[in-house]
Each structure stands twice: as C-alpha cells, then as structure tokens.
Amino acid sequence: MLINPKYEHLREWLEQLPENFEQLGEVIYDKRNQLRVITAPDGTLVNAKRYCIPHAVNRVVYSLGIRQPKGQRAFLYPARLLERGIDTPEPIAYIERRTCGLLGLSYFISVQSPLKHTFFEFSQAQEGSYEEIAETLGRFVAMMHDRGVLHLDLSPGNILWDKDEQGYHFAVVDINRMRFGEVGIQQGCATLCRMWGPKRFTELFVRSYAQARAFDEEEALSLTLQARTAYWTRYLHRGHTIDFPLEF
C-alpha cells in the first residue's frame, strides 16, 4: 500500500477497505470500475475507486512493473499537478491485491472534491447560458498546457467546476492518463474535442484556448473540429449513445 503521510492515521482503516469496499459509502459510478463516496473514520469525505482486474496483456505489463498501474499513476500524479498550481483532489492511498504475483483489483482513494459540477450539464445548453464558462474553461486548459500538463482524457466528467463570488474554479480528475512536457498546438487541440453539447460551446472554448496561448485561432479551431468529428464518429460507431444533437 502507498499512503500519503498526512493520512497515516487512517492506515488501519485503509488496510481493511478492500474487504469492506462493497459495504461502504454510496456508489456514484458503476461500470467497469466502481466509484464510491465514503466517510472515513476521522470524518474526511473520500472518493474511493476500485479498478477492475486488467486484461491479460496489461495485467502482465502492470504486474512486472513495465508500466505503472492506473491507480498507482492516479496516486502519484496529483503532486505533479498541485506543484504546478493545477487543482486536483489530494491523494490518500493506493492499494493493490495480487494473486501469484499478478495484479488483481486495485484501489485509489482521494479526498472528495468540493466542486459539484461537471460539463455533462451543458449537453442541452441553450445559447446565452454557457459563453462565459466556455471561455473561462479555455483559459484554464491553456494554463495547464503552458505548465506542461496534457490530460489525455479531457472529457466532460473529468473536469469539475463551481462558481462563487471570486469566479469559476476548476479541478481535473481521472488523471491516470497524462503526459508531462511541452504541449504544442497539434497535441493540445487533439485533446479538446470531447466536450458534450452545442458545437458553439466547443468553438468558444477553443478560440479562448488559442487566444490564451497566442495560437492562430482558425488553425486551432480546424484541428479541434477535425478531431471532434473523428472522435464522435468512432464513439457512436461503437454503439454508445449521447443525449445531445451532434453537429459536425
């Protein structure tokens, strides 16, 4: 088990978490992996994610240490984001279960973010309701890329947000798929294509991103919209559904 020293006082509870997982807290996501919100013994509201047993090849790759497992990356990456001023939930622990040396179920536990909203909320948004946040989001992602952080799964559920009297606040989650280093226009724009909702939301988002990074707006928009068409075509071809009218 890897544990954040700040939460060493929860070690005994964390060691028992895999055995007790299905009886704890509230399920908020349950597909291939399961996500629960749980109150720890010290009152901390935590987010506990159980990763399923990896497929055959990945199981060997992860087990032999050729590549870090998803949960381990999720535990280690927050420090790299937080030191760059990019908000993400504070990690608490990473736990593995192995059989004959092979990785089985694994668990990543973090502090539950106080931010309540995701960008799925804009799937049916009407013009006039999203312009400010789309442009603010563009500047936030530009800041991430300028600081050498490329989130490879920048989907609507992986950016949390809220607004108060000081303005918008953003945090990124599900950060096990990231690259660190210089982010150019093609790399950056390739990750901007997954926003749900009106095409105009994406256009405003991308133009704001390009302005913040001093990129050519039309080039950035062209690159993103090409990636957007390819991404959503593949998504629908795989049998997924969406709850907004897709505009190409």
Side-chain angles (χ1 to χ4, degrees):
M1 179 170 70
L2 301 175
I3 185 167
N4 183 337
K6 180 178 174 180
Y7 296 96
E8 184 64 38
H9 62 283
L10 292 176
R11 177 176 289 274
E12 184 177 350
W13 179 75
L14 289 165
E15 288 174 343
Q16 298 171 2
L17 185 142
E19 285 68 38
N20 299 328
F21 185 78
E22 294 193 0
Q23 286 75 50
L24 296 173
E26 175 189 358
V27 177
I28 59 171
Y29 181 86
D30 190 12
K31 290 190 178 179
R32 193 156 179 264
N33 304 313
Q34 188 177 107
L35 203 58
R36 288 176 176 263
V37 175
I38 303 168
T39 302
D42 67 349
T44 302
L45 197 62
V46 308
N47 190 296
K49 184 171 186 177
R50 182 177 65 189
Y51 293 89
C52 67
I53 298 173
H55 293 310
V57 174
N58 279 342
R59 192 176 190 191
V60 173
V61 168
Y62 294 150
S63 299
L64 295 178
I66 298 170
R67 189 173 182 224
Q68 291 176 330
K70 291 181 179 180
Q72 186 176 0
R73 281 177 267 147
F75 176 80
L76 296 174
Y77 285 172
R80 302 177 72 172
L81 270 64
L82 293 169
E83 71 184 7
R84 290 167 167 83
I86 300 164
D87 191 19
T88 193
E90 184 180 29
I92 294 176
Y94 168 64
I95 306 167
E96 290 183 354
R97 288 292 179 262
R98 293 187 176 232
T99 303
C100 300
L102 293 176
L103 180 65
L105 297 173
S106 58
Y107 303 80
F108 169 58
I109 302 93
S110 66
V111 175
Q112 176 72 1
S113 173
L115 304 184
K116 304 299 184 186
H117 302 279
T118 72
F119 282 86
F120 286 119
E121 296 172 29
F122 294 93
S123 63
Q124 302 289 343
Q126 300 299 309
E127 192 168 329
S129 67
Y130 56 76
E131 286 77 3
E132 183 181 46
I133 192 169
E135 292 171 356
T136 309
L137 176 65
R139 292 190 289 272
F140 171 74
V141 176
M143 177 272 287
M144 286 179 57
H145 290 181
D146 281 340
R147 296 179 185 181
V149 175
L150 184 68
H151 196 316
L152 296 173
D153 190 10
L154 203 65
S155 60
N158 289 343
I159 312 170
L160 309 180
W161 69 274
D162 219 328
K163 186 181 183 182
D164 60 21
E165 61 278 0
Q166 283 151 356
Y168 288 100
H169 303 274
F170 300 102
V172 289
V173 296
D174 209 0
I175 60 172
N176 62 80
R177 293 183 60 228
M178 308 206 83
R179 288 181 188 159
F180 298 93
E182 185 176 347
V183 180
I185 186 171
Q186 292 195 353
Q187 273 188 314
C189 290
T191 65
L192 306 182
C193 65
R194 301 188 182 193
M195 284 296 112
W196 283 43
K199 180 181 177 182
R200 185 168 177 268
F201 183 105
T202 295
E203 291 172 343
L204 292 169
F205 165 45
V206 173
R207 287 190 182 278
S208 176
Y209 169 84
Q211 290 169 11
R213 301 202 70 199
F215 290 156
D216 180 89
E217 287 185 42
E218 298 306 322
E219 181 183 6
L221 193 58
S222 175
L223 288 168
T224 303
L225 292 181
Q226 287 177 43
R228 181 177 180 274
T229 298
Y231 174 78
W232 287 113
T233 300
R234 287 195 307 272
Y235 187 88
L236 294 173
H237 183 70
R238 290 171 183 159
H240 299 299
T241 59
I242 55 178
D243 67 352
F244 63 94
L246 188 58
E247 309 160 81
F248 286 128

